[in-house]
Amino acid sequence: MHRRKLLTLGFTIFLFLSAAFHPSSTEGVETVMRIESRLEEELQKLKIEAIQPGFRCMLLSEGESPLRQSASISLQWHSLGIGPVIRRGVIKEIEKPFQYSLNSQVYQQSAGCRIDFSLNPVPSYGAVWQDGSEYGFFMREAETLYHWGGWFSIEIGRKILLEPWVYEMLQTSAFDEQGISFNQVAEEGEAAAQPLQTNSMSIVQSQRAHTFGLNLIIQEGRQECRYLWALMYSAIGKPSSFFRSYVDLHSTGRFDWQLSILGRWIGEGFENSKGVLPQKKASLSGLAGVNFDRSGLSIHGEISRNKLPAVPLRYVECERELGGKVYTGFSFFDCNSSFSHAWGFTEEGERTGKYKHEAGFSLKTSGWNWKCRFASRFPYTSVAEHSAKLEARASLGCLSISASGKLTWKQDLSREAVESWSAALRGEYKRRADDFVELWFKLMAERKRSGRVELPLSIGLKVETTTP
């Protein structure tokens, strides 16, 4: 009953805001209305969206049945937005300092946030106010953590940009791995066990962490250098810092080449967005590549060092990776082949790692598309793992149909060695005239590791109309 009331209230607010911001007397302004419905097994989703210059509103409801729905609303009015918040640039990177690879788009993004209007929004609700990439402020809530911060940009000439920013995290409670509050254990008079090595959240009822940073960007044509420095401190810990340097160099000509270098270092006590200490201490990665038209070659390498353990050990964990990729294409044919070799040492000094090779082919014409991919993984301490994936798609006017299959097995291909397999069939109808209509269905067949075969079915509808 409570969910039904929330859904009814959400629809009421949505209609009220749409009427308030979309007056019928407005001339020369087009309003786009979108309705999207999706049924995935037992989960139903309904999305209603209205878009007008300067205003955007979205209502999303999901649940197991029409009578048991939970609703959420997203609003964007000029510079102000309310709803699921997505971070960008350094605001996103600082929450996961070692998460993103060398080619990640997070390094090309300016500092900022935006509201998520997708059918599967991020599970963090809040608000953001910003003027493009020049300045802004955001606040959001995710699980038991509350985050807020702000940023602005300073241009120095035409090639240098400074982005000072501040970020604050408030942790309302801390729990152990079993979900029991450490404070609850203390109140019951029991002594909480303190492990020698841990990356769990601090054992406090509330924790506030302040982070200040400066992002320096230097650009000259396609050449780019970005340097990030951040300082974090809290009332219960000593200050800690994080540093990142990113250099991306390109050339334009008959042969295009690229050289990218990414270096990162983190101090003791620097926590991520969930209040957890990252395992890595430092990393250095590089990529070099050259291409001509649709053919090219690239080589990448990375070396990283984990944090020193709390007790003396014989070896310090250090990981290395080396890889490359070759690709070419002509007419309607494309193919690529890549490899990577990662190795390191365990705490006992045992050498460990894996070698991975992947090859892919694709054929594409105006009416159909065919792709296949083969991947093999050879771990040091276990048997080889292989996978194959095949995709085919054909289109005729407004109709299209696609099929795909994936198979994974170990060592040699036999019935006993097959770990899992899946197949999918998707049909789609699209009509685009004054309005846009899309109907689709997808039928899958999956074999789980337990041996059980499942046949999930999903269907969807999307309608878009424009009214002056």
Side-chain angles (χ1 to χ4, degrees):
M1 182 63 68
H2 182 63
R3 290 185 177 180
R4 292 182 62 183
K5 290 182 178 179
L6 288 177
L7 180 60
T8 304
L9 178 61
F11 270 103
T12 303
I13 296 176
F14 179 82
L15 294 176
F16 171 77
L17 292 173
S18 299
F21 288 100
H22 300 160
S24 57
S25 60
T26 304
E27 297 182 359
V29 176
E30 293 186 347
T31 301
V32 178
M33 299 293 295
R34 295 175 180 171
I35 299 177
E36 187 172 355
S37 177
R38 179 177 297 181
L39 173 62
E40 298 177 351
E41 298 186 45
E42 298 180 355
L43 181 62
Q44 300 181 12
K45 293 186 177 183
L46 176 64
K47 175 182 174 182
I48 304 176
E49 190 174 8
I51 304 175
Q52 192 181 38
F55 175 78
R56 186 174 185 178
C57 181
M58 186 268 285
L59 172 68
L60 175 67
S61 65
E62 59 179 340
E64 298 178 355
S65 68
L67 299 180
R68 301 182 62 182
Q69 297 275 308
S70 60
S72 60
I73 296 178
S74 299
L75 300 173
Q76 184 73 48
W77 184 59
H78 295 287
S79 300
L80 176 64
I82 301 175
V85 178
I86 299 179
R87 288 85 62 212
R88 293 169 49 88
V90 293
I91 303 296
K92 180 179 181 180
E93 177 191 1
I94 204 64
E95 294 190 352
K96 298 177 181 179
F98 288 91
Q99 180 72 22
Y100 304 101
S101 61
L102 186 63
N103 284 325
S104 175
Q105 294 297 318
V106 70
Y107 303 115
Q108 276 74 36
Q109 297 172 351
S110 58
C113 297
R114 67 178 179 86
I115 302 300
D116 189 359
F117 286 90
S118 65
L119 192 63
N120 298 288
V122 295
S124 64
Y125 209 82
V128 58
W129 175 76
Q130 61 183 355
D131 183 11
S133 60
E134 296 183 0
Y135 58 87
F137 175 82
F138 78 96
M139 54 183 177
R140 69 183 186 92
E141 182 269 337
E143 298 178 352
T144 61
L145 298 177
Y146 295 86
H147 312 258
W148 59 88
W151 71 92
F152 63 93
S153 59
I154 304 174
E155 292 188 5
I156 303 177
R158 301 176 59 183
K159 303 177 182 178
I160 301 177
L161 181 67
L162 290 178
E163 290 182 342
W165 53 272
V166 59
Y167 178 86
E168 186 162 330
M169 177 184 68
L170 174 63
Q171 177 184 315
T172 57
S173 61
F175 300 88
D176 61 10
E177 295 180 355
Q178 287 74 31
I180 303 176
S181 172
F182 289 108
N183 301 296
Q184 179 182 352
V185 175
E187 291 174 359
E188 295 175 356
E190 300 180 9
Q194 299 292 331
L196 293 177
Q197 302 181 44
T198 179
N199 61 350
S200 60
M201 292 183 289
S202 303
I203 307 173
V204 291
Q205 179 63 28
S206 63
Q207 174 185 345
R208 189 186 300 269
H210 313 272
T211 306
F212 301 92
L214 179 64
N215 193 30
L216 172 63
I217 305 173
I218 305 175
Q219 292 180 325
E220 175 64 33
R222 299 183 64 189
Q223 322 307 321
E224 184 178 59
C225 300
R226 293 175 179 256
Y227 303 97
L228 171 65
W229 174 79
L231 175 66
M232 182 182 71
Y233 73 93
S234 61
I236 62 172
K238 58 183 180 180
S240 181
S241 60
F242 172 73
F243 176 78
R244 182 262 294 159
S245 62
Y246 178 80
V247 180
D248 194 14
L249 307 177
H250 293 263
S251 74
T252 57
R254 186 174 182 181
F255 290 91
D256 293 338
W257 59 267
Q258 177 188 3
L259 176 63
S260 301
I261 300 175
L262 173 63
R264 293 171 289 193
W265 174 86
I266 194 171
E268 299 293 336
F270 198 98
E271 299 177 346
N272 62 13
S273 61
K274 295 183 179 181
V276 178
L277 301 177
Q279 292 294 327
K280 290 186 178 181
K281 173 72 175 180
S283 68
L284 177 64
S285 57
L287 180 145
V290 60
N291 68 83
F292 173 71
D293 197 16
R294 293 165 59 184
S295 302
L297 167 69
S298 64
I299 300 175
H300 69 270
E302 180 178 358
I303 180 172
S304 60
R305 181 174 181 177
N306 294 341
K307 287 181 173 293
L308 293 175
V311 294
L313 294 176
R314 183 179 179 183
Y315 292 93
V316 176
E317 294 186 9
C318 186
E319 300 175 355
R320 303 170 181 86
E321 181 176 342
L322 180 66
K325 182 178 181 180
V326 180
Y327 54 94
T328 185
F330 54 90
S331 185
F332 52 84
F333 177 77
D334 288 276
C335 66
N336 63 81
S337 177
S338 62
F339 78 94
S340 64
H341 184 204
W343 71 97
F345 295 91
T346 63
E347 297 177 354
E348 292 78 17
E350 180 184 359
R351 185 181 176 93
T352 183
K354 62 179 182 290
Y355 171 79
K356 183 178 180 181
H357 181 261
E358 185 173 328
F361 310 89
S362 66
L363 298 172
K364 185 176 182 180
T365 64
S366 59
W368 58 278
N369 188 6
W370 180 82
K371 297 179 181 178
C372 66
R373 181 183 64 85
F374 302 94
S376 298
R377 179 180 177 185
F378 303 91
Y380 281 15
T381 57
S382 60
V383 298
E385 303 172 0
H386 309 276
S387 66
K389 186 176 182 180
L390 176 65
E391 299 179 9
R393 180 184 178 92
S395 302
L396 179 62
C398 298
L399 298 176
S400 64
I401 187 170
S402 60
S404 64
K406 185 177 181 180
L407 179 67
T408 60
W409 70 95
K410 287 187 175 182
Q411 203 68 17
D412 300 324
L413 181 57
S414 63
R415 185 174 181 179
E416 295 75 17
V418 173
E419 280 205 324
S420 63
W421 60 264
S422 64
L425 177 65
R426 178 185 172 100
E428 196 174 80
Y429 169 80
K430 286 185 179 181
R431 181 181 62 84
R432 183 180 295 275
D434 295 335
D435 300 327
F436 173 76
V437 179
E438 179 181 359
L439 298 169
W440 58 267
F441 77 92
K442 184 177 181 181
L443 176 63
M444 290 192 64
E446 297 178 288
R447 179 186 180 272
K448 302 297 183 180
R449 294 183 181 272
S450 60
R452 180 182 177 184
V453 177
E454 298 183 355
L455 298 171
L457 172 66
S458 58
I459 56 178
L461 165 67
K462 184 176 182 181
V463 179
E464 180 179 315
T465 179
T466 303
T467 57

